[in-house]
């Protein structure tokens, strides 16, 4: 099996097979034109035509570090599972999954943002074949680099318990953790969703050095901060997720802004 399995899912069999050919052509272009990708042995591993086929393959083969090209509208039936549902399932089983949506309907993009799929690209079926191959080549380069870096530099997980079940999420995917409205629980927000579990902010702070305390009731992952509004004392993440910081932690906020260049500041 390839180092990074590549899976295609489109309900139109002809389009799915054509997409697989375009992906393999793009990989060949990468190996021919760029020395740093000269040893790539990736190719399309599996082509599915519906949700069940894709899920069956991912589970049966315990796919990890995969690259997934998914059609958002997998069926014309409104009740059927779509590509966003499939992406959510994949993310739960393959936390490093690189999701690329291939769609003829741009109107579905907001749905993927709301559900925090974390797709790395959207490719329009309306583009010419040459442009699609070029776009696939670009997104494959991005996906392979992302996966290579995660493997090379190690992927650490944030661990928490729900009842007796131990759950894991990649540290890089954590946005923030705050006190829940439910007693003795915390609210964990990640790039892929939200969950509440029994926990204590101070203890979580002591056990996880990648998190920074910004109030007595909130911890943030500074790598995922988009902006800080100093007037409203809010920290803003992807998809407009936000958490408040307290006045007592102004020095901490100042340090974060100085250390992380990705953080924008509004006053």
């Amino acid at each position: 099996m390839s180092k990074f399995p590549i899976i295609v899912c489109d309900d139109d069999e002809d389009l799915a097979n054509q997409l697989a050919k375009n992906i393999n052509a793009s990989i060949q272009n990468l190996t021919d034109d760029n020395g740093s990708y000269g040893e790539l042995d990736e190719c399309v591993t599996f082509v599915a035509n519906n949700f069940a086929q894709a899920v069956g393959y991912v589970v049966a083969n315990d796919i990890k570090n995969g690259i997934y090209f998914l059609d958002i509208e997998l069926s014309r039936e409104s009740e059927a599972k779509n590509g966003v549902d499939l992406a959510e399932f994949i993310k739960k089983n393959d936390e490093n999954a690189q999701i690329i949506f291939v769609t003829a309907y741009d109107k579905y993009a907001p749905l993927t943002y709301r559900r925090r799929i974390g797709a790395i690209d959207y490719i329009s079926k309306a583009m010419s074949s040459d442009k699609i191959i070029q776009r696939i080549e670009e997104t494959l380069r991005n996906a392979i680099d992302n996966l290579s870096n995660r493997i090379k530099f190690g992927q650490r997980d944030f661990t928490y318990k729900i009842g007796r079940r131990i759950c894991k999420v990649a540290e890089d995917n954590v946005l923030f953790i705050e006190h829940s409205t439910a007693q003795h629980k915390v609210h964990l927000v990640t790039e892929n969703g939200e969950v509440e579990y029994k926990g204590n902010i101070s203890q979580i702070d002591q056990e996880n050095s990648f998190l920074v305390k910004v109030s007595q009731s909130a911890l943030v992952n500074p790598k995922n901060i988009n902006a800080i509004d100093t007037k409203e004392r809010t920290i803003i993440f992807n998809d407009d997720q936000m958490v408040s910081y307290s006045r007592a932690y102004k020095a901490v906020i100042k340090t974060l802004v100085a250390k992380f260049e990705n953080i924008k500041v509004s006053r």
Side-chain angles (χ1 to χ4, degrees), residues 160-171:
Y160 59 96
K161 289 179 70 175
I162 297 180
R164 295 182 179 180
R165 184 163 56 99
I166 297 176
C167 305
K168 294 181 179 180
V169 58
E171 286 185 359

Side-chain angles (χ1 to χ4, degrees), residues 65-189:
N65 300 319
I67 301 172
Y68 304 83
F69 288 82
L70 310 178
D71 179 23
I72 292 181
E73 192 181 45
L74 284 178
S75 173
R76 289 183 174 84
E77 297 177 14
S78 60
E79 299 300 318
K81 296 283 189 180
N82 59 33
V84 182
D85 298 318
L86 177 56
E88 283 188 334
F89 177 89
I90 288 169
K91 280 282 192 178
K92 290 176 182 176
N93 287 268
D94 180 3
E95 63 184 8
N96 289 340
Q98 303 293 294
I99 304 292
I100 300 104
F101 284 117
V102 184
T103 178
Y105 301 95
D106 292 339
K107 65 181 181 181
Y108 288 106
L111 176 63
T112 69
Y113 296 134
R114 286 198 301 272
R115 288 167 64 174
R116 289 183 290 281
I117 299 301
I120 66 169
D121 204 357
Y122 296 81
I123 299 177
S124 171
K125 292 180 181 179
M127 293 191 298
S128 68
S129 180
D130 287 346
K131 286 187 176 179
I132 287 178
I133 291 175
Q134 181 182 354
R135 184 67 169 270
I136 291 172
E137 187 176 334
E138 292 170 357
T139 201
L140 275 174
R141 187 186 297 114
N142 187 18
I144 291 167
D145 287 348
N146 288 344
L147 290 168
S148 297
N149 287 334
R150 288 195 173 207
I151 292 170
K152 181 179 179 180
F153 298 111
Q155 177 65 63
R156 295 195 300 179
D157 293 322
F158 174 75
T159 303
Y160 59 96
K161 289 179 70 175
I162 297 180
R164 295 182 179 180
R165 184 163 56 99
I166 297 176
C167 305
K168 294 181 179 180
V169 58
E171 286 185 359
D172 289 349
N173 288 343
V174 174
L175 300 184
F176 62 89
I177 304 173
E178 62 183 348
H179 278 155
S180 167
T181 54
Q183 195 172 15
H184 305 306
K185 285 192 173 185
V186 295
H187 178 215
L188 167 65
V189 180

Side-chain angles (χ1 to χ4, degrees), residues 22-91:
N22 287 341
I23 292 168
N24 287 334
S26 299
I27 292 170
Q28 188 61 54
N29 289 344
L30 270 178
T31 58
D32 290 344
D33 301 338
N34 193 315
S36 60
Y37 297 98
E39 296 183 2
L40 280 181
D41 62 354
E42 271 67 28
C43 63
V44 174
T45 313
F46 185 71
V47 177
N49 297 127
N50 57 53
F51 180 93
Q53 287 178 1
V55 165
Y57 182 82
V58 168
V59 172
N61 294 277
D62 191 24
I63 299 298
K64 295 291 185 281
N65 300 319
I67 301 172
Y68 304 83
F69 288 82
L70 310 178
D71 179 23
I72 292 181
E73 192 181 45
L74 284 178
S75 173
R76 289 183 174 84
E77 297 177 14
S78 60
E79 299 300 318
K81 296 283 189 180
N82 59 33
V84 182
D85 298 318
L86 177 56
E88 283 188 334
F89 177 89
I90 288 169
K91 280 282 192 178

